[in-house]
Amino acid sequence: MTTTASALVETLEDLGVEYIFGYPGGRVIELLDHLPESDVDLVRPRDEREASVMAETYGRLTGQPGVLAGQGPWIGSLGMIGQMEARLSSSPMVVLTEASERGEYSTLAPYQQARGDYGGFSLPSILDGVSKEWWFPRTPVETLRSTQLAFKHAVAGRPGPTAIILDGDAITDDVPDDPTPTAWDAASQTRTWDAAPSASDVADAVDALEGAERPVIVAGNGVHAAQAYDELAAVAEAYDCVVVTSYLGKSTYPETDDRAAGVIGSFGHEGANQVVSEADTLLVAGCRLNPMDTNWQAPEFIRPDEQTIVHADVDARNAGWVYPADVGLIGDAKESLAALADAGDASNDWAMERAATAEEWFTAPECEDDSTPIKPQRAVTEIEAVVDEETIVTADSGNNRFWLLYYLQTPAVRTYFGSGGVGGMGWANPAAVSAALTTDKDVVAVAGDGGFSMTMNSVETAVEYGVAPTFVVLNDTSLGMVRQMQSEDGDIAGVEFHDTDFVKAAEAFGAVGTRTTDPEAFAAALEDGKAADVPHVIDVRIDREEDMADTLASSFYESVGGLHE
């Protein structure tokens, strides 16, 4: 007989799982007890929050589910940030957790119980609000089948997080020799198939693109999820299109390319927003067009009564969700874009010249400013100087991500990823550690001092697991975005921070710490960090008077009042 926990680990091996990101606790300990003898490695950061972000990032980068494991109460609280980001950023994730059930005592509300009985709390209800699907198996065979289904659902259609609650006999009993129903071979049971658009819809889309005089592609996170980079480039070339991206779609297309016009949205490139407004035909690929992307539906931005909209999405509910679409291409982005690239071609006298004009918005005089403290625009310019095709930038939430969005011109696909789903602060640090483990590429994490402080334990995790991201802290000793919303100093509580010594913190974690106040020193510190085999933390003192919203807000965003965040 084989124990369920042992059989579950064998299932993970059969599915090619490299890492479990998690923290021991509750019934999950029984699962982790079998990992030392397996091919699956445990990555244990300092808490479930960081583990959840690491699992989400793994899924985002590889297209395979990142596995998060931990005790139910903490997976349902601390560990929710990565699960929420996975749901909204379409990152495949499988959560292995438990409800701290204690058998005959379950109706007496024992310590930490999360089954949902009277006196406890309901982990299933919490997971139900975030997961694509969740399972609470009652038998060993159900546990194995639930795990297989969790891996299948995590990648089928629009990717996202799934969860299994391991508890009671369903994790402690032995697996029966001849169960009915059968637990099939894991690889066979988890197989999925990519959906593709119909031939008639492809033909209609080709007609729209071939008839366009000013065609623009809006590339979203679905292109990342499908890794449809070559197909996107082929469509842009075939139909002579300008390419813009959503925030989550940044680096689906090299921003140094002659067709690239930048990122659309409330704090996106003005040039990119203007290009979309001027287009007569829009091909929206893997982007649901959320309010930030659409400048909160500014009337002059996208106009479905005047523009032809071809909307390609893996989920039929998303095509035409925000704006009425003339053509819907329902399927995996790789399949939809490949079909378009093979089916037609066109040319115009507009796209290349218009993209060249739009690219002027990637820079500003402040990008060359030598003053101290460092202008955030100049700080991003120095970061850009060390970002090549083999470097990944992970961007946190807050002002820092919008400075990066605007002034970091990505040189290749898959060089920039940000917390743009739920947009939680503290994402960039554990995401950087996961990226370094997953890809073996150079990684630069960029956060404000607020976000960095939330998850700076990730620096120690990087040291422990032998990877060396460079952690950049754009430090204005405040919650910069919120502080800059004040009508006068001091009228919003909680925006100022004590001036923390991040250099000492880095050294305490076993990393190298540097504080910089001028651009040349920052550039040198970045080069040192990138070349090193231990993590570097660079505390960059930026000019806190540079107002992000005033500087970067789109004219279309301003036209609807600029009041949304």
Side-chain angles (χ1 to χ4, degrees):
M1 300 290 280
T2 303
T3 66
T4 305
S6 175
L8 182 52
V9 171
E10 290 176 7
T11 297
L12 299 179
E13 290 179 312
D14 291 342
L15 294 175
V17 172
E18 294 180 276
Y19 301 110
I20 289 178
F21 301 93
Y23 206 92
R27 288 286 173 82
V28 167
I29 292 174
E30 295 169 31
L31 175 67
L32 301 186
D33 185 45
H34 294 275
L35 287 189
E37 295 80 34
S38 77
D39 295 330
V40 182
D41 292 328
L42 176 67
V43 178
R44 188 229 62 246
R46 285 293 185 164
D47 66 24
E48 292 83 357
R49 171 192 177 113
E50 294 174 47
S52 71
V53 172
M54 294 180 77
E56 184 270 324
T57 303
Y58 179 94
R60 192 189 298 209
L61 291 175
T62 67
Q64 301 301 313
V67 180
L68 169 67
Q71 189 173 4
W74 321 124
I75 292 297
S77 53
L78 293 171
M80 288 307 295
I81 182 172
Q83 295 173 72
M84 290 188 290
E85 185 68 35
R87 183 63 186 266
L88 298 180
S89 290
S90 302
S91 302
M93 177 190 287
V94 170
V95 179
L96 302 173
T97 188
E98 54 80 70
S100 297
E101 183 266 338
R102 290 172 175 82
E104 292 83 353
Y105 294 89
S106 63
T107 60
L108 304 177
Y111 176 60
Q112 296 179 333
Q113 180 166 289
R115 292 198 333 170
D117 295 354
Y118 174 73
F121 69 93
S122 175
L123 181 62
S125 296
I126 294 172
L127 294 173
D128 188 60
V130 176
S131 299
K132 284 181 66 179
E133 304 289 346
W134 60 270
W135 293 264
F136 202 158
R138 297 159 296 176
T139 68
V141 175
E142 282 187 346
T143 294
L144 300 182
R145 291 183 58 83
S146 296
T147 302
Q148 294 173 353
L149 290 171
F151 275 84
K152 183 182 181 79
H153 283 261
V155 298
R158 182 183 178 186
T162 59
I164 309 103
I165 304 170
L166 306 168
D167 241 322
D169 296 342
I171 188 65
T172 58
D173 277 3
D174 291 335
V175 180
D177 290 332
D178 297 303
T180 301
T182 302
W184 303 108
D185 170 74
S188 299
Q189 189 72 71
T190 58
R191 184 179 179 187
T192 60
W193 291 263
D194 289 335
S198 69
S200 61
D201 287 337
V202 172
D204 289 343
V206 169
D207 288 344
L209 290 167
E210 288 185 333
E213 296 179 358
R214 299 181 303 280
V216 175
I217 299 173
V218 179
N221 190 50
V223 178
H224 274 313
Q227 297 193 21
Y229 309 112
D230 292 343
E231 292 78 9
L232 173 62
V235 172
E237 183 74 24
Y239 297 97
D240 201 3
C241 301
V242 180
V243 181
V244 301
T245 74
S246 67
Y247 176 72
L248 279 174
K250 188 175 173 76
S251 87
T252 56
Y253 193 83
E255 291 176 325
T256 52
D257 187 88
D258 290 341
R259 296 186 179 278
V263 181
I264 62 171
S266 303
F267 298 109
H269 295 99
E270 184 67 18
N273 284 321
Q274 294 288 349
V275 162
V276 168
S277 178
E278 294 169 19
D280 62 1
T281 300
L282 296 172
L283 169 59
V284 182
C287 175
R288 68 177 181 84
L289 297 174
N290 73 44
M292 286 285 283
D293 295 333
T294 62
N295 292 286
W296 299 86
Q297 293 201 324
E300 297 305 312
F301 182 52
I302 293 176
R303 305 175 306 285
D305 53 341
E306 299 176 26
Q307 298 168 304
T308 299
I309 299 176
V310 178
H311 201 157
D313 202 282
V314 73
D315 192 329
R317 296 172 296 182
N318 290 352
W321 175 9
V322 177
Y323 296 103
D326 297 281
V327 183
L329 299 176
I330 308 306
D332 179 83
K334 184 183 285 285
E335 297 287 338
S336 294
L337 292 171
L340 286 178
D342 292 340
D345 63 83
S347 62
N348 59 73
D349 297 324
W350 178 77
M352 297 294 280
E353 183 177 342
R354 190 62 187 85
T357 303
E359 284 187 352
E360 295 173 4
W361 290 90
F362 277 102
T363 190
E366 291 82 1
C367 293
E368 305 300 323
D369 194 299
D370 291 329
S371 61
T372 59
I374 302 171
K375 296 287 186 184
Q377 300 94 321
R378 177 62 186 274
V380 174
T381 299
E382 298 303 338
I383 294 169
E384 181 185 89
V386 300
V387 176
D388 56 25
E389 294 184 0
E390 297 301 315
T391 301
I392 293 174
V393 173
T394 62
D396 215 66
S397 188
N399 277 354
N400 61 91
R401 78 161 172 164
F402 293 116
W403 292 122
L404 284 166
L405 178 161
Y406 221 89
Y407 296 115
L408 176 66
Q409 197 169 3
T410 56
V413 300
R414 294 172 62 80
T415 52
Y416 181 99
F417 294 93
S419 59
V422 71
M425 292 173 63
W427 181 88
N429 293 342
V433 180
S434 182
L437 281 167
T438 301
T439 67
D440 291 326
K441 292 187 176 183
D442 292 320
V443 183
V444 180
V446 183
D449 47 306
F452 179 80
S453 298
M454 287 180 175
T455 54
M456 62 182 176
N457 284 334
S458 295
V459 177
E460 184 186 37
T461 304
V463 171
E464 182 171 355
Y465 287 91
V467 292
T470 301
F471 300 89
V472 175
V473 188
L474 298 183
N475 192 342
D476 60 5
T477 62
S478 69
L479 281 172
M481 179 177 281
V482 181
R483 174 176 57 81
Q484 290 177 352
M485 291 177 181
Q486 297 179 127
S487 57
E488 58 183 62
D489 286 347
D491 69 349
I492 298 178
V495 299
E496 298 291 346
F497 288 132
H498 167 73
D499 188 357
T500 302
D501 191 335
F502 293 122
V503 172
K504 287 184 178 178
E507 292 171 348
F509 289 139
V512 175
T514 306
R515 175 179 288 189
T516 62
T517 58
D518 68 85
E520 289 188 7
F522 179 41
L526 282 168
E527 291 287 354
D528 289 345
K530 188 173 182 180
D533 57 4
V534 295
H536 276 51
V537 175
I538 308 174
D539 181 355
V540 190
R541 297 310 169 113
I542 62 169
D543 183 353
R544 61 188 263 145
E545 300 309 318
E546 281 291 314
D547 193 299
M548 185 281 298
D550 283 351
T551 304
L552 303 184
S554 156
S555 64
F556 294 95
Y557 182 49
E558 292 295 340
S559 76
V560 293
L563 302 175
H564 313 88
E565 169 42 36

